[in-house]
Amino acid sequence: QVQPVESGGGLVQPGESLRLSCPASTRDIEVFGMAWYRRRPGTQRQFVAGITGDYTTTYADSVKGRFTISRDNAKGTVDLQMENLKPEDTALYYCNTLSSEGLAPWGQGTQVTVSP
């Protein structure tokens, strides 16, 4: 498995939006699904959103209605559109497979900071 390279993070104010992106092969999406995870300061890495080969999506309760995970087959990426960001969304965001069976080495992540 290839180490993911996440992008799109940044510093935004509460209520603003960001779009994260991560290259993902069709095979990985179809076989293992893909997901976004995050690690907030002082906590362990947690699941944020996932998408399977049949486009089924799942979300952590804390982001439902604000975050949308999608796959862009043309670009070969899995993206996370984040709306109405809150300070508690501040974290290092990672992408990796949804299934632990296909887990790749964790990448460096992309930092999202939400601050007035």
Side-chain angles (χ1 to χ4, degrees):
Q1 292 292 81
V2 178
Q3 187 177 53
V5 179
E6 304 88 352
S7 63
L11 171 63
V12 297
Q13 295 187 343
E16 293 186 336
S17 303
L18 276 175
R19 188 176 185 88
L20 308 183
S21 187
C22 171
S25 69
T26 300
R27 175 186 177 275
D28 279 351
I29 297 173
E30 296 287 338
V31 175
F32 303 116
M34 289 295 294
W36 283 92
Y37 305 83
R38 68 185 181 188
R39 187 174 67 211
R40 291 185 282 191
T43 69
Q44 294 187 336
R45 189 159 32 218
Q46 296 178 322
F47 170 82
V48 174
I51 187 166
T52 64
D54 64 358
Y55 293 86
T56 299
T57 57
T58 53
Y59 297 92
D61 287 343
S62 58
V63 306
K64 278 181 183 176
R66 299 188 299 120
F67 290 12
T68 303
I69 189 171
S70 62
R71 49 187 288 191
D72 188 324
N73 294 327
K75 293 193 303 182
T77 62
V78 172
D79 301 331
L80 185 68
Q81 179 67 36
M82 305 185 295
E83 306 283 349
N84 190 23
L85 282 161
K86 303 176 180 181
E88 52 264 42
D89 294 318
T90 295
L92 201 53
Y93 284 73
Y94 304 86
C95 72
N96 214 314
T97 57
L98 181 60
S99 167
S100 60
E101 292 184 3
L103 213 59
W106 291 96
Q108 294 187 339
T110 186
Q111 178 67 41
V112 172
T113 303
V114 185
S115 179

